[in-house]
Amino acid sequence: MNAASTRPGRNLDRFDRAILRILQKDNRTPQRAIAEEVNLSPAAVQRRIAALEASGIIVANVAVLAPDAFQAAITVVVEVHLQNDRSSIVEPTKALFRSTPEIQQCYYVTGSAGFILVMIIPDMTSYEAISRRLFADNPVVETFRTLVVLDTVKAGLEIVVPDGT
């Protein structure tokens, strides 16, 4: 998602920014309600949203599910240290983590850790099996550290949409 920083700029005006703020809170807000709030016609709002999607500024419209809606869910944060930072090790590891459904978020980071993962798992027995496969029995993983989340204080993907300059 950091591709936006290298994206050729679409100049966002105050209407685009206002629309983005509304959609980040609830992307099911009717376009007529958005139009009233930002003082545009529904057709203009529809065109702007389509342009924001086409430019890649809006990357997805998704439903956010409650992790415990289907079974007891545990959130774990895992710090993974690789043997080294060679691309021959890092790139396959990225692919492995991308393809693991239990990994909700994966960050390749600076500092002593190679990756920080956020995982949603049904129980600790499942985590034990997953951690063996992904970390303990993985020859490129030097060490890993697991932090079990006690309480989700804040979670979200909303970003600050700054006022235009």
Side-chain angles (χ1 to χ4, degrees), residues 19-80:
I19 291 167
L20 289 170
R21 287 186 194 102
I22 293 166
L23 291 176
Q24 280 193 107
K25 292 188 185 339
D26 183 0
N27 75 339
R28 292 177 32 184
T29 304
Q31 290 180 359
R32 125 183 99 13
I34 296 170
E36 289 175 17
E37 190 167 333
V38 301
N39 202 24
L40 287 173
S41 72
V45 168
Q46 182 180 24
R47 284 190 302 273
R48 285 173 178 269
I49 291 172
L52 292 165
E53 289 171 341
S55 70
I57 292 171
I58 296 176
V59 295
N61 290 293
V62 299
V64 178
L65 307 180
D68 61 354
F70 305 99
Q71 56 188 318
I74 299 169
T75 303
V76 294
V77 178
V78 185
E79 182 179 309
V80 181

Side-chain angles (χ1 to χ4, degrees), residues 8 14 33 59 97 100 103 120 122 125 140-141 165:
R14 67 183 179 90
V59 295
F97 293 163
T100 303
I103 297 176
I120 307 292
T125 302
V140 303
V141 173
T165 54

Side-chain angles (χ1 to χ4, degrees), residues 82-161:
L82 302 179
Q83 288 178 337
N84 60 56
D85 289 332
R86 289 191 183 117
S87 60
S88 61
I89 288 177
V90 171
E91 294 309 316
T93 303
K94 286 180 181 180
L96 173 65
F97 293 163
R98 271 189 211 102
S99 68
T100 303
E102 293 84 0
I103 297 176
Q104 187 181 52
Q105 298 174 48
C106 175
Y107 302 96
Y108 180 51
V109 298
T110 63
S112 63
F115 290 91
I116 301 293
L117 311 175
V118 177
M119 301 177 70
I120 307 292
I121 53 168
D123 52 51
M124 290 309 289
T125 302
S126 298
Y127 180 68
E128 181 181 9
I130 291 167
S131 68
R132 284 182 192 211
R133 178 175 62 86
L134 294 178
F135 317 126
D137 295 339
N138 186 336
V140 303
V141 173
E142 186 75 29
T143 62
F144 69 99
R145 181 173 71 134
T146 302
L147 305 164
V148 177
V149 173
L150 298 176
D151 182 23
T152 302
V153 177
K154 180 180 180 181
L157 296 174
E158 192 172 322
I159 62 170
V160 174
V161 178

